[in-house]
Amino acid sequence: MAREAPPHFPPPTDDDNDIVMENASFVRNEPPQDDQGPPKVDSEVEILHEKVKKQIIKEGHGHKPAKLATCFLHYRAWVEHSSHKFEDTWQEQHPIELILGKEKKEMAGLGIGIASMKSGERALLHVGWELGYGEEGSFSFPNVPPMADLLYEVELIGFDDIKEGKARSDMTVEERIEAADRRKVEGNAHFKDEKLQEAMQQYEMAIAYMGDDFMFQLFGKYRDMALAVKNPCHLNMAACLIKLQRYDEAIGQCTIVLSEDENNVKALFRRGKARAALGQTEAAREDFQRARKYAPEDKAILKELRSLAEHDKAVYEKQKEIYKGIFGPRPEPKPKKSNLLVVFWHWLLSLIHRLFNLVRRKTD
């Protein structure tokens, strides 16, 4: 069994594994949405093969992967004529590994499309049935009928030419950790250059080398070695996502780290930042207070707690003004009449009544 690692409570500052969060301009670049089915793309159609066409949604960078490169990608897939979606790796939150030239038969068209893409590129692929699930359709996906043309919205996260043709499952533990660490270092360099998308691609590739199935098999020093690379990648992803204002995703990345290390100060701090940005002030305060417990002198944590206190005060004052406007000022109490005046009026009315009765009797 894995030995219990000693508690580690680093403050939320920079080190060899992590990146510093600066106040930088936010960039909005959301992951693709599929609420309306396949995306509508009006870019030029590129003919890659008689049965494969491509339209670029977002440009990539760098060079294209060579044959036998290990590619990491996300995609959504639809049956073209019906727009039935049958697979979504974004939803499953696990990128797919594909070795160019060694892909499965039903992914031949997808492989041709990937070979034409650069890292970070997102595209819509039109794949004929001959390079998809063929004449028989799919047994795994019953809504893919025989001879079904396919649509793929695909993003090439990145690729690794270093271990040509070698799948993750064929690597030793040391090779996988080494490959992940190399991606993490490249991601940190991109982050420092404020290339957030490129940085996230490297972190996501690093994490892909250490999936749940891999981590489940590790014990002792190997698990500690893997977590020493994997957890900083999640934290660095969270830092990028906060800058991109994708707060829910940032919370998810921090929560993954906290599931392994419940007292990780950086994970608590960054999750608190994301929760505060979403207006989840009580949850954010709880994260910051837990982080302060292990880093009581950290100025960044104290600053966030003061900011929440000021926010609470401002909300209270605003609510007080709103209620004042709804109900208006309290009316001034009317002065009470003197008891003597009341007695006098009763006496006068009684006298008038008696005089009236006296006059009426004399008249009768």
Side-chain angles (χ1 to χ4, degrees):
M1 295 182 66
R3 63 180 174 82
E4 184 177 354
H8 180 52
F9 308 131
T13 53
D14 196 20
D15 58 34
D16 292 339
N17 291 326
D18 211 350
I19 51 182
V20 177
M21 290 182 59
E22 304 283 351
N23 289 327
S25 57
F26 289 127
V27 181
R28 181 67 77 170
N29 195 339
E30 299 289 348
Q33 303 297 319
D34 71 329
D35 295 339
Q36 305 301 321
K40 306 297 182 184
V41 184
D42 55 7
S43 61
E44 182 180 353
V45 176
E46 183 180 354
I47 307 297
L48 305 178
H49 180 277
E50 183 183 358
K51 297 297 180 180
V52 182
K53 296 180 289 185
K54 182 180 83 167
Q55 291 176 279
I56 294 177
I57 300 172
K58 185 187 75 171
E59 295 285 351
H61 57 86
H63 64 281
K64 299 174 183 178
K67 187 176 181 180
L68 299 182
T70 302
C71 300
F72 298 93
L73 54 136
H74 272 304
Y75 66 79
R76 291 190 179 95
W78 295 266
V79 175
E80 185 166 15
H81 80 274
S82 65
S83 293
H84 283 310
K85 185 176 71 172
F86 61 89
E87 194 169 13
D88 187 343
T89 67
W90 272 292
Q91 193 173 56
E92 296 163 6
Q93 297 184 346
H94 289 295
I96 295 297
E97 177 188 57
L98 185 148
I99 298 175
L100 289 182
K102 291 187 176 182
E103 61 273 355
K104 296 177 182 178
K105 181 180 178 181
E106 62 268 22
M107 288 190 167
L110 180 62
I112 291 171
I114 292 297
S116 73
M117 298 172 68
K118 300 176 181 178
S119 292
E121 182 178 327
R122 189 185 306 154
L124 182 67
L125 299 178
H126 304 254
V127 176
W129 63 266
E130 296 89 343
L131 298 180
Y133 289 92
E135 290 183 294
E136 297 182 358
S138 173
F139 178 79
S140 300
F141 304 108
N143 56 350
V144 179
M147 302 175 67
D149 294 336
L150 307 175
L151 287 175
Y152 288 98
E153 181 185 7
V154 58
E155 180 170 354
L156 178 59
I157 299 167
F159 54 88
D160 198 342
D161 286 325
I162 296 173
K163 296 290 183 182
E164 289 190 346
K166 195 168 187 178
R168 287 173 293 179
S169 57
D170 297 329
M171 292 182 179
T172 65
V173 171
E174 291 88 348
E175 286 176 333
R176 287 180 73 155
I177 294 174
E178 179 187 349
D181 188 59
R182 185 169 56 250
R183 291 300 182 183
K184 183 199 71 180
V185 171
E186 292 180 16
N188 290 356
H190 285 309
F191 184 91
K192 290 174 182 177
D193 291 337
E194 298 187 1
K195 297 177 179 178
L196 300 183
Q197 293 299 325
E198 289 87 342
M200 288 174 60
Q201 288 160 10
Q202 296 299 320
Y203 297 140
E204 194 164 6
M205 287 180 64
I207 293 168
Y209 277 107
M210 294 178 290
D212 294 340
D213 55 340
F214 174 68
M215 296 298 297
F216 183 75
Q217 302 174 49
L218 298 184
F219 299 93
K221 70 173 184 178
Y222 287 114
R223 185 171 181 82
D224 292 341
M225 287 168 58
L227 287 175
V229 177
K230 183 175 183 286
N231 281 351
C233 288
H234 286 296
L235 291 172
N236 296 349
M237 280 279 287
C240 293
L241 290 163
I242 288 172
K243 286 180 176 288
L244 293 169
Q245 297 181 324
R246 288 159 56 178
Y247 301 117
D248 284 321
E249 294 171 78
I251 290 170
Q253 293 292 329
C254 294
T255 301
I256 290 171
V257 175
L258 291 168
S259 69
E260 292 282 355
D261 180 7
E262 64 180 357
N263 298 321
N264 188 290
V265 172
K266 289 177 182 176
L268 290 167
F269 178 77
R270 290 178 187 172
R271 190 171 71 174
K273 290 273 288 185
R275 284 175 163 174
L278 290 174
Q280 301 170 4
T281 53
E282 288 306 313
R285 194 189 328 274
E286 182 181 341
D287 281 341
F288 290 137
Q289 287 173 344
R290 284 177 59 192
R292 185 177 64 172
K293 179 179 178 182
Y294 302 108
E297 303 301 322
D298 189 271
K299 293 180 180 179
I301 297 172
L302 297 175
K303 179 181 176 182
E304 293 298 330
L305 285 169
R306 284 195 300 269
S307 177
L308 285 180
E310 291 169 2
H311 174 267
D312 290 345
K313 183 178 179 181
V315 169
Y316 171 76
E317 293 295 333
K318 186 175 181 180
Q319 289 176 340
K320 191 166 71 171
E321 288 299 316
I322 291 172
Y323 293 138
K324 182 178 178 182
I326 292 173
F327 298 108
R330 189 175 179 180
E332 294 292 332
K334 295 180 180 179
K336 294 182 179 180
K337 295 180 180 180
S338 168
N339 290 337
L340 183 61
L341 183 60
V342 172
V343 172
F344 170 76
W345 278 108
H346 278 288
W347 174 82
L348 182 60
L349 290 172
S350 177
L351 178 61
I352 292 171
H353 183 68
R354 286 200 300 271
L355 287 173
F356 176 77
N357 288 335
L358 180 61
V359 170
R360 191 177 63 178
R361 282 198 298 271
K362 287 185 176 183
T363 303
D364 293 339

